[in-house]
């Protein structure tokens, strides 16, 4: 049967897990999975969007192909948001969907959606299989493309093809479309940059007076090499949010994050640097990078199409981050003058002190900063934290400390709501011996909360901490920064008690409204032998302030107050308390 050939081919490529929901458009594929359940595990979820997020999270955490499966029509449509997350963050994912029988295509049959057309923008490789003899070749090409281009591949298979004999060829092709039995490729890194480019990069970095590194997700496997370059050049290291785990947060070299979620020392450094070395990042927010002409740029990028797309790059290096840095190190001149580095080490000491003051357990309502500080204190040294988009990304960026083998994952360029919980399930499947914590907002959790039931039914001991401000917090502050009073972003009181849902699912659930109760509740949740959820009511008026407030931001914030911001008294009080805590 063709579906058996599909599953066997996937297993030959090392696929061991597929996330999805059955449907009448993929019953043949489900039978293939049943017959080969000893080789490929099918993870039944509660929403196809979550299945796509799980495949993406699996790929991000392991570097291996993530696979999701959905039925024809609405099932395939539901995959799209999670697949765009994979596309924008360059994660290798294969989406498999069903399709109506070939004899009824084009007749407006029930649930007939041209998924191959729908997926044209999201997929690097996108095909409908219409002949069983196509399948081995097309599966190989799809997987090769997903790995090679670090993106999404999509195969849709009509019902009648799924159940046809794997060798059926009604048109009797003279040359069978079977590929050679080539070993899987594209699993290795892009390789070493050209020698002449390495020399040019070394010359630029050696000549710099105030260099800095900006590292991203493409350098997650190159921690030792990044630290070695920072030591040799005596320079600070800035981290993008997806690249937060490249080096530890307590490293003497890092100034933390960049941009709106970044630190004040990084904002100062960006204005001061004369050569910025970008490693494994295509950071899109150019207004937070040095102004071209005032600084030079060196970039080490795996994809030649992305080298120099954000800023005019003086020296583009194309290659793997680890191999490139290893090749570059012998060409760098060790710098004895550490004045530049010490300046930013002192700035980071002051910044860390300010941030610690805001994470006080004495504040009422509970400060969201305190919630993450408790997670950080109680989590294991190799824990993985997954995060949703929104204000929680700011708190995670500043209070989740990378040390040891800790990991951190979120939807980077898509910045979608709701991936935190599906990511956690996928990563627990990938790393069954590691603690996995989903730190999510109430808005994002509500979107895919059915996946907590998935965790309970499958006995996955993930831990979920909800930052419940009973609002769409990030949009609230974005409206105000534009000069508008908030509108349509707060849910009616009282805040929802999601711990009741957790208990109804058969897991641990606790509602926390007082800071003093948080450490004990979280300790119990982390020790619970199964999925656990802590729903924490936090101060909804705590603003995620940027590391350095610009004049325009302050002006628009004030305009929102003058135009009738309905919660201006509470917000002003919170800001006053923040300042007192820092002083």
């Amino acid at each position: 049967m063709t579906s058996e050939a599909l599953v066997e081919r996937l297993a030959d490529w090392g696929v061991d897990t597929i996330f999805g929901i059955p449907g009448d458009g993929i019953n043949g594929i489900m039978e293939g999975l049943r017959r080969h359940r000893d080789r490929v595990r099918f993870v039944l979820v509660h929403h196809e969007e979550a299945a796509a997020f799980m495949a993406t999270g699996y790929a991000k955490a392991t570097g291996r192909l993530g696979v999701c499966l959905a039925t024809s029509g609405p099932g395939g449509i539901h995959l799209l948001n999670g697949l765009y997350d994979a596309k924008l963050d360059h994660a290798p994912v294969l989406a498999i969907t069903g399709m109506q029988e070939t004899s009824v295509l084009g007749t407006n049959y029930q649930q007939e959606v041209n998924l191959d057309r729908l997926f044209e923008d999201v997929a690097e490789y996108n095909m409908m299989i219409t002949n069983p003899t196509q399948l081995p070749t097309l599966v190989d090409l799809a997987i090769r493309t997903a790995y090679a281009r670090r993106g999404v591949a999509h195969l849709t298979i009509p019902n009648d093809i799924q159940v046809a004999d794997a060798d059926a060829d009604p048109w009797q092709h003279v040359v069978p479309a079977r590929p050679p039995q080539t070993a899987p490729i594209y699993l290795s890194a892009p390789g070493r940059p050209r020698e002449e480019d390495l020399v040019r990069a070394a010359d630029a970095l050696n000549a710099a007076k105030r260099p800095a590194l900006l590292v991203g997700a493409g350098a997650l496997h190159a921690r030792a090499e990044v630290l070695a370059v920072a030591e040799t050049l005596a320079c600070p290291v800035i981290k993008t949010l997806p690249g937060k785990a490249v080096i530890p947060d307590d490293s003497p070299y890092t100034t933390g994050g960049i941009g709106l979620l970044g630190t004040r020392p990084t904002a100062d450094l960006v204005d001061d640097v004369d050569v910025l070395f970008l490693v494994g990042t295509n950071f899109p927010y150019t207004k937070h990078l040095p102004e071209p002409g005032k600084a030079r740029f060196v970039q080490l990028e795996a994809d030649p199409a992305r080298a120099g797309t954000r800023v005019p790059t003086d020296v583009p290096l194309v290659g793997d981050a680890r191999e490139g840095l290893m090749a570059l190190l012998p060409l760098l001149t060790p710098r004895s003058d550490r004045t530049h580095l010490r300046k930013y080490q002192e700035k980071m000491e002051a910044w860390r002190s300010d941030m610690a003051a805001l994470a006080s357990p004495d504040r009422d309502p509970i400060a969201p900063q305190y919630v993450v500080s408790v997670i950080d204190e109680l989590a294991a040294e190799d824990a993985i934290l997954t995060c949703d988009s929104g204000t929680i990304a700011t708190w995670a960026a500043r209070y989740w400390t990378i040390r040891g083998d800790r990991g951190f994952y979120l939807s980077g360029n898509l910045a979608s709501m709701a991936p935190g919980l599906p990511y956690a399930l996928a990563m627990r499947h990938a790393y069954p011996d590691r603690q996995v914590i989903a730190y999510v907002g109430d808005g994002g959790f509500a979107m895919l909360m059915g996946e907590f039931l998935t965790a309970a039914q499958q006995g996955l001991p993930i831990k979920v901490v909800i930052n419940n401000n009973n609002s769409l917090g990030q949009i609230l502050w974005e409206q105000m920064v534009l000069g508008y009073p908030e509108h349509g972003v707060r849910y009616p009181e009282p805040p929802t008690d999601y711990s009741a849902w957790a208990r109804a699912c058969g897991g641990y659930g606790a509602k926390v409204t007082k800071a003093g109760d948080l450490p004990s509740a979280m300790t119990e949740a982390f020790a619970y032998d199964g999925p656990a959820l802590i729903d924490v009511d936090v101060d909804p008026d705590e603003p995620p302030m940027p590391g350095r407030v610009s004049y325009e931001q302050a002006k628009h914030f004030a305009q929102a107050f003058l135009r009738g911001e309905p919660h201006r008294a509470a917000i002003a009080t919170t800001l006053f308390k923040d300042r007192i805590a820092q002083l």
Side-chain angles (χ1 to χ4, degrees), residues 272-574:
D272 184 33
V273 69
D274 63 347
V275 176
L276 183 65
F277 185 14
L278 296 87
V279 181
T281 179
N282 193 31
F283 185 71
Y285 305 106
T286 54
K287 68 179 181 180
H288 297 293
L289 294 175
E291 186 178 336
K294 294 185 178 179
R296 300 183 68 196
F297 298 91
V298 178
Q299 184 175 11
L300 176 52
E301 169 61 58
D303 185 349
R306 294 197 297 265
T309 59
R310 305 298 184 190
V311 288
T313 305
D314 299 83
V315 186
L317 299 168
V318 177
D320 172 65
R322 184 170 182 270
E323 290 195 43
L325 294 180
M326 287 177 62
L328 184 64
L329 271 165
L331 305 177
L332 298 177
T333 302
R335 193 181 304 263
S336 57
D337 183 358
R338 306 180 78 81
T339 305
H340 174 60
L341 177 61
R342 280 198 297 269
K343 174 182 176 180
Y344 288 96
Q345 289 172 337
E346 292 170 2
K347 286 177 178 284
M348 277 303 290
E349 287 180 13
W351 170 262
R352 290 182 178 117
S353 177
D354 285 347
M355 292 301 99
L358 297 179
S360 169
D362 301 325
R363 297 172 63 187
D364 183 31
I366 301 171
Q369 298 96 321
Y370 177 61
V371 178
V372 190
S373 72
V374 175
I375 297 174
D376 183 65
E377 179 181 350
L378 296 178
E381 291 296 295
D382 65 345
I384 297 173
L385 187 78
T386 66
C387 183
D388 270 1
S389 301
T391 56
I392 49 173
T394 300
W395 313 134
R398 294 176 179 173
Y399 292 92
W400 172 248
T401 305
I402 297 297
R403 57 177 180 267
D405 293 324
R406 283 185 171 182
F408 177 76
Y409 298 93
L410 82 169
S411 175
N413 285 298
L414 186 63
S416 174
M417 293 177 68
L421 179 57
Y423 275 12
L425 270 72
M427 292 176 192
R428 182 67 193 193
H429 274 294
Y431 298 108
D433 296 326
R434 293 177 68 174
Q435 183 184 51
V436 182
I437 306 164
Y439 172 57
V440 299
D442 54 298
F445 180 78
M447 288 182 175
L448 292 175
M449 60 190 290
E451 301 313 324
F452 189 85
L453 179 58
T454 302
Q457 291 171 335
Q458 297 177 8
L460 294 174
I462 63 167
K463 313 304 173 187
V464 180
V465 180
I466 300 178
N467 184 85
N468 195 339
N469 55 20
N470 202 38
S471 66
L472 301 174
Q474 187 71 24
I475 309 305
L476 186 161
W477 301 110
E478 286 175 349
Q479 288 178 352
M480 293 185 66
V481 168
L482 290 172
Y484 311 142
E486 65 173 78
H487 179 69
V489 291
R490 299 196 193 229
Y491 293 103
E493 296 288 342
T496 302
D497 182 358
Y498 290 105
S499 69
W501 167 245
R503 293 190 296 274
C505 292
Y508 174 97
K511 182 73 168 179
V512 177
T513 59
K514 298 294 182 183
D517 298 331
L518 184 60
S520 59
M522 203 168 289
T523 299
E524 287 183 20
F526 285 7
Y528 182 74
D529 186 21
L533 182 150
I534 307 291
D535 183 9
V536 188
D537 288 353
V538 300
D539 188 349
D541 299 310
E542 179 71 36
M545 301 296 285
R548 189 174 65 192
V549 179
S550 71
Y551 169 75
E552 287 297 319
Q553 289 169 330
K555 182 179 74 172
H556 291 155
F557 200 76
Q559 286 174 343
F561 270 53
L562 294 173
R563 289 171 178 168
E565 164 55 42
H567 294 85
R568 56 186 178 274
I571 293 170
T573 300
T574 299

Side-chain angles (χ1 to χ4, degrees), residues 54-138:
M54 290 179 194
T56 301
Y58 186 94
K60 287 182 178 182
T62 65
R64 296 167 54 197
L65 186 76
V67 183
C68 53
L69 174 65
T71 191
S72 55
I77 294 169
H78 281 159
L79 292 175
L80 281 172
N81 194 48
L83 295 180
Y84 270 101
D85 185 33
K87 172 186 172 74
L88 270 62
D89 281 357
H90 313 294
V93 168
L94 172 63
I96 302 171
T97 61
M99 181 63 65
Q100 283 67 31
E101 287 79 359
T102 54
S103 60
V104 299
L105 292 178
T107 66
N108 293 321
Y109 201 73
Q110 184 187 32
Q111 294 189 337
E112 183 182 352
V113 175
N114 292 315
L115 294 177
D116 49 332
R117 297 183 190 175
L118 184 67
F119 282 43
E120 279 181 355
D121 180 62
V122 75
E124 298 285 347
Y125 187 88
N126 180 29
M127 286 294 297
M128 182 192 298
I129 295 176
T130 57
N131 186 323
T133 59
Q134 285 179 291
L135 185 134
T137 297
L138 268 54

